Every structure is written in C-alpha cells, then in structure tokens.
Amino acid sequence: MTRNHLLAGATGATLAMLAAVPAGAHDNHVTIERAGDRLCITSNGLPNHDTGTFPNRGNPHAISEQTLRYCVAANPVKGGTMTEITRGPVGIALNGILFRPETADYYDPSSPRGFSRDPSSGWNLEGMGAADQLGMDHNNAHVDSRGIYHYHGTPRGLLASLGDTHIGYAADGHEIHYVGEAARSGWTLKSGTRPSGPGGAHDGTYIQDWEYTGAGNLDRCNGGMLDGERYVYFATDTFPFYPRCFWGEVSADFRR
C-alpha cells in the first residue's frame, strides 16, 4: 500500500542551489508504504508548509533537498524495557520531516556563543529552551549543517495542514499524536538553582533543568493511551515535546 501525503506547490527554484532559502512554500514529496512488517517513509526533506528564512542570525545553514528514508515497525509492540535516544531523530512526520528535539550543544563559557559541541560541562542545551539562540522558525524548526530541516517543538505548519491528531511515527513505530492540552507532560522544571555549569535558576535552557515527576497524564516517554484504546506517543507544547525514550523496538534507521 502506497500513500502520498501533503504535497505542496513548487517554489520554482532548486532549493539545494540556493545560498539562503526565504520564507515560503516548498516542493514537498513524501511516500508512506508498507513493506512486509515495516512501514517506510521516504521524502525529499522539504516541508509542505512555509518556513522561516535560513540562514538566520542563530542558524547559519540553508535548507536543501535530501533523500530520506526511515522504516519502522508496522505493528509495534509496547514492551517493558525502555530505550533512549539522546541524539538524532526520534521520529518522522507524515510530511517526511524529522522530529529531532535534542541538540549536540553544551554550555561552554569559552565559546563566543556560550555553547559548543564540547560536552565536558554536562549541561546539554535544550532545543526549545534556547530557541532564539538556535534560530528556530515559527514552526519550531531549524536546519542542521547538512541542510536538513527538522522539528524541535510543535510543528505548527504541519498541524495546520492536517485534519487529524496523527502527525507522524516514532522510532519504534508507535504513532505520534498532537491533542493540545489534553496530553500533559509529566516533566517539570527542577526547583532552586543549578549546582554547576551556567548557574542560575532551572529555567529550561538545558535538558538537565528538567526532571520527570509524573505530574501530567503521560509517562516519562511522553506516551499514553489514545481514546483509552491504544498506546501512542504525544507531541506536547512543553518539555520533552516529543518522545525521547521508547517502549518498543527502535528501528535501526534511527540508530545511525
């Protein structure tokens, strides 16, 4: 079974050849197909909605066309062992854009920007907590050094194009849904001040500012029951935004 999702109009220019991509629509191509016991999503990495301008002050990279293919379990099973993904994509949207909530940047007072790829401080920059510094656009997305546009937070442009709560698939094949405030994260900001690194109050700038307390109605992987019938993960407007751990078998495509 093959389905084409969410095709948008062409820009009239080859995106990969542009030094900077202005805000506007993109020539999105995505195919979702069943291949045996797997569900495979193939896309050109360009969204079906407008974006911010890239490069920008916080993000020096330009959007470029890609060849992305990620396969997940077509019939995922929720097990009892949790697997974490601490870097890279944690899922893929129905429009073929990757969900990548975490960053590879850490607090580094010796860097002009205040952060770098040196992990020695132990304080990992949270994508949405440092959204302005990282040049996120109105879709809570930006671009990496390879030109890959990806979501860190709520994908507003994608949501506007859908008529359903289902927005994509997690790395273990479970669906990802967005239901607004009906899904409440169980993660909360720590109290007090940071004991090291940047100091100051735990304000969400770093992943280590957060802890799982079970305060919401979702588990630590941002999962729960959809309509009381089946287990799915949820995208939320607060940390962790997307699942960062998984109860099913994580596809090898997300372990590269």
Side-chain angles (χ1 to χ4, degrees):
M1 177 180 67
T2 301
R3 293 182 293 168
N4 289 322
H5 280 277
L6 313 171
L7 299 183
T11 61
T14 303
L15 299 178
M17 295 176 63
L18 296 178
V21 178
H26 295 273
D27 189 12
N28 168 255
H29 293 287
V30 59
T31 300
I32 303 176
E33 60 185 350
R34 180 74 176 261
D37 61 354
R38 302 196 304 167
L39 196 68
C40 296
I41 301 178
T42 304
S43 85
N44 64 353
L46 302 179
N48 64 309
H49 52 69
D50 66 347
T51 70
T53 299
F54 295 99
N56 60 41
R57 182 176 180 182
N59 189 273
H61 311 301
I63 298 173
S64 63
E65 190 167 350
Q66 308 288 323
T67 300
L68 303 178
R69 182 175 174 84
Y70 285 81
C71 296
V72 298
N75 299 294
V77 176
K78 183 178 183 290
T81 302
M82 183 184 70
T83 301
E84 291 187 82
I85 291 182
T86 56
R87 281 190 59 184
V90 300
I92 187 167
L94 295 179
N95 63 355
I97 301 301
L98 295 171
F99 299 123
R100 279 173 46 186
E102 297 199 7
T103 77
D105 296 302
Y106 291 79
Y107 170 70
D108 182 354
S110 68
S111 170
R113 301 183 71 188
F115 57 88
S116 72
R117 297 296 176 93
D118 179 358
S120 60
S121 73
W123 292 89
N124 190 187
L125 204 66
E126 163 56 32
M128 290 306 299
D132 291 340
Q133 293 169 271
L134 297 174
M136 300 290 176
D137 69 6
H138 53 284
N139 297 298
N140 296 312
H142 69 173
V143 186
D144 71 10
S145 59
R146 294 167 293 174
I148 300 176
Y149 182 80
H150 57 278
Y151 301 122
H152 279 263
T154 307
R156 304 191 187 284
L158 173 62
L159 294 177
S161 69
L162 298 175
D164 188 61
T165 64
H166 181 204
I167 65 171
Y169 294 93
D172 64 357
H174 283 97
E175 294 179 355
I176 299 176
H177 287 253
Y178 178 80
V179 295
E181 295 181 358
R184 302 184 305 280
S185 165
W187 290 80
T188 54
L189 284 171
K190 295 176 181 178
S191 59
T193 57
R194 303 183 185 104
S196 63
H202 295 287
D203 62 2
T205 301
Y206 301 92
I207 290 176
Q208 289 71 30
D209 288 336
W210 297 91
E211 61 183 344
Y212 183 74
T213 62
N217 59 0
L218 303 180
D219 64 25
R220 67 182 304 111
C221 298
N222 243 31
M225 299 302 291
L226 180 67
D227 299 327
E229 298 178 354
R230 56 197 172 94
Y231 183 83
V232 303
Y233 299 113
F234 292 91
T236 51
D237 293 324
T238 59
F239 187 91
F241 302 100
Y242 296 104
R244 305 188 190 199
C245 57
F246 308 88
W247 296 107
E249 184 177 353
V250 174
S251 165
D253 290 352
F254 290 87
R255 294 179 180 270
R256 303 174 202 166

